[in-house]
């Protein structure tokens, strides 16, 4: 009986060792292939998203003399320069009764949001190389957190615009109720372009030199310091391919009540943004599996 018990114990021990070995060496972690599962993971990691956003907000103006005031000074100085160059020297026409400073600052709201969010989003994966190579999380969290940080600067700039309108005694239009739609469209424009360049920036580091050029060139071809109505009619369709044209016109229509809201321009901006969104997500998902190796 003793020998029989020893034999049974020996067989059980061998089977347990086999089971543990199978669990140790046969556990395979595979990436989720379904997009629905992938995007549901972003919601599960929402605490990490908020943590990264808060970290970027704290670090952005760390060890600066005037700190968060840079979020105020930059758009104000840009507005002053545009007002002097385009409003005084070039003497470009304004839209309706809005002062030229308010006309420019209203356009700076979506433009600064795009410029800041695009630059941070495009470099987010390279800047977060340490996290990418050590832990798992949906990689889209890094670009999204950088855009949310730019959204904080957008909120500060919007408060500056409110103060500026009070100083000029200018009341916003009743169309302002539609402003959240254009803010959402701006967010997706920043997201689609930023995510695409962020993925390509990991694969080809040449894109780090293209990012400043895109921002500088985009400022010239966007109606920030002027009205899009001055563009000749025969070039309007080409000009409207820039999604920021429809967005900026939409902001001015919502806040200032201008008559320059072009439905075709808004439609083109929306379609271009959706196409960029689909392309950027496809490229990002295809390149994502090699980020940790190439970062």
């Amino acid at each position: 009986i003793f020998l029989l018990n020893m034999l049974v114990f020996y067989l059980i021990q061998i089977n347990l060792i086999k089971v543990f070995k199978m669990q140790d060496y046969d556990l395979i972690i595979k990436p989720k292939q379904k997009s629905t599962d992938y995007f549901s993971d972003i919601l599960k990691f929402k605490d990490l998203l908020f943590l990264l956003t808060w970290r970027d907000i704290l670090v952005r103006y760390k060890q600066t003399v005037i700190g968060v005031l840079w979020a105020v000074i930059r758009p104000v100085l840009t507005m002053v320069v545009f007002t002097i160059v385009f409003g005084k020297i070039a003497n470009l026409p304004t839209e309706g009764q809005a002062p030229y400073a308010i006309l420019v600052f209203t356009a700076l709201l979506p433009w600064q949001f795009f410029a800041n969010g695009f630059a941070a989003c495009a470099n987010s994966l390279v800047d977060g190389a340490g996290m990418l190579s050590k832990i798992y999380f949906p990689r889209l969290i890094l670009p999204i957190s950088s855009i949310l940080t730019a959204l904080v600067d957008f909120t500060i700039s919007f408060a500056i615009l409110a103060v500026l309108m009070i100083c000029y005694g200018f009341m916003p239009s009743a169309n302002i109720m539609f402003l959240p739609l254009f803010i959402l469209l701006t967010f997706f424009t920043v997201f689609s372009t930023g995510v695409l360049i962020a993925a390509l920036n990991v694969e080809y580091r040449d894109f780090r030199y293209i990012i400043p050029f895109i921002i500088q060139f985009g400022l010239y071809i966007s109606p920030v310091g002027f009205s899009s109505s001055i563009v000749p009619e025969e070039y309007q369709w080409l000009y409207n391919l820039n999604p920021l044209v429809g967005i900026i016109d939409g902001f001015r229509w919502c806040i200032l009540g201008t008559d320059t809201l072009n439905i075709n321009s808004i439609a083109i901006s929306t379609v271009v943004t959706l196409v960029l969104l689909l392309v950027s997500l496809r490229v990002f998902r295809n390149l994502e599996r090699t980020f940790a190796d190439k970062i």
Side-chain angles (χ1 to χ4, degrees):
I1 294 174
F2 175 77
L3 293 176
L4 182 61
N5 289 335
M6 291 295 295
L7 179 62
V8 172
F9 177 77
Y10 177 74
L11 293 175
I12 294 175
Q13 188 177 17
I14 291 177
N15 289 330
L16 288 175
I17 292 175
K18 290 181 178 180
V19 170
F20 284 124
K21 285 185 176 180
M22 290 178 63
Q23 290 180 350
D24 288 341
Y25 295 99
D26 293 341
L27 181 61
I28 301 175
I29 300 176
K30 296 181 178 180
K32 296 181 178 181
Q33 300 296 328
K34 293 183 179 180
S35 298
T36 53
D37 295 336
Y38 180 81
F39 290 112
S40 65
D41 269 359
I42 297 179
L43 296 178
K44 294 179 181 178
F45 284 82
K46 61 181 181 297
D47 292 336
L48 177 61
L49 174 62
F50 296 142
L51 180 63
L52 292 175
T53 304
W54 182 245
R55 181 205 63 179
D56 292 341
I57 294 173
L58 295 178
V59 171
R60 171 170 291 190
Y61 303 109
K62 187 178 181 181
Q63 294 182 340
T64 57
V65 177
I66 59 177
V68 74
L69 285 178
W70 280 114
V72 178
I73 293 174
R74 288 188 301 171
V76 170
L77 288 180
T78 305
M79 179 266 295
V80 171
V81 171
F82 272 78
T83 302
I84 295 174
V85 173
F86 292 102
K88 302 298 182 181
I89 299 177
N91 198 24
L92 294 179
T94 60
E95 299 184 1
Q97 302 298 321
Y100 200 88
I102 296 180
L103 180 75
V104 172
F105 205 93
T106 303
L108 282 174
L109 287 178
W111 168 252
Q112 291 281 4
F113 182 25
F114 172 81
N116 296 336
F118 173 77
C121 183
N123 292 300
S124 59
L125 297 179
V126 176
D127 294 340
M131 294 182 59
L132 290 177
S133 58
K134 290 181 175 62
I135 61 175
Y136 167 76
F137 60 94
R139 304 318 192 193
L140 274 176
I141 284 183
L142 287 176
I144 294 175
S145 66
S146 61
I147 299 175
L148 292 179
T149 304
L151 188 60
V152 174
D153 289 343
F154 171 84
T155 305
I156 297 175
S157 298
F158 196 90
I160 299 172
L161 176 63
V163 174
L164 190 64
M165 295 178 72
I166 293 174
C167 294
Y168 276 94
F170 188 88
M171 292 296 295
S173 166
N175 301 331
I176 199 170
M177 66 179 66
F178 298 101
L179 187 60
L181 298 177
F182 290 98
I183 296 176
L184 186 64
L185 181 59
T186 309
F187 179 89
F188 281 111
T189 302
V190 178
F191 178 82
S192 58
T193 53
V195 166
L196 178 61
I197 301 300
L200 295 176
N201 194 23
V202 175
E203 192 77 13
Y204 312 101
R205 296 304 169 88
D206 306 76
F207 279 91
R208 72 172 66 182
Y209 305 105
I210 299 177
I211 295 170
F213 172 77
I214 293 176
I215 296 175
Q216 185 177 14
F217 183 70
L219 179 61
Y220 294 146
I221 64 174
S222 300
V224 177
F226 55 91
S227 171
S228 58
S229 59
I230 68 174
V231 178
E233 187 67 29
E234 59 269 22
Y235 299 115
Q236 281 287 342
W237 66 272
L238 181 62
Y239 188 64
N240 289 333
L241 290 178
N242 176 8
L244 288 174
V245 173
I247 292 173
I248 291 175
D249 286 344
F251 266 74
R252 284 173 172 161
W253 177 77
C254 290
I255 299 175
L256 307 180
T258 58
D259 299 328
T260 58
L261 184 65
N262 190 331
I263 301 300
N264 293 331
S265 176
I266 302 298
I268 293 174
S269 296
T270 304
V271 171
V272 171
T273 298
L274 290 177
V275 172
L276 285 173
L277 181 63
L278 295 177
V279 172
S280 62
L281 288 177
R282 182 64 179 270
V283 172
F284 190 92
R285 293 283 284 148
N286 289 339
L287 298 178
E288 184 179 18
R289 65 193 67 182
T290 62
F291 284 168
D293 299 326
K294 296 183 179 181
I295 204 67

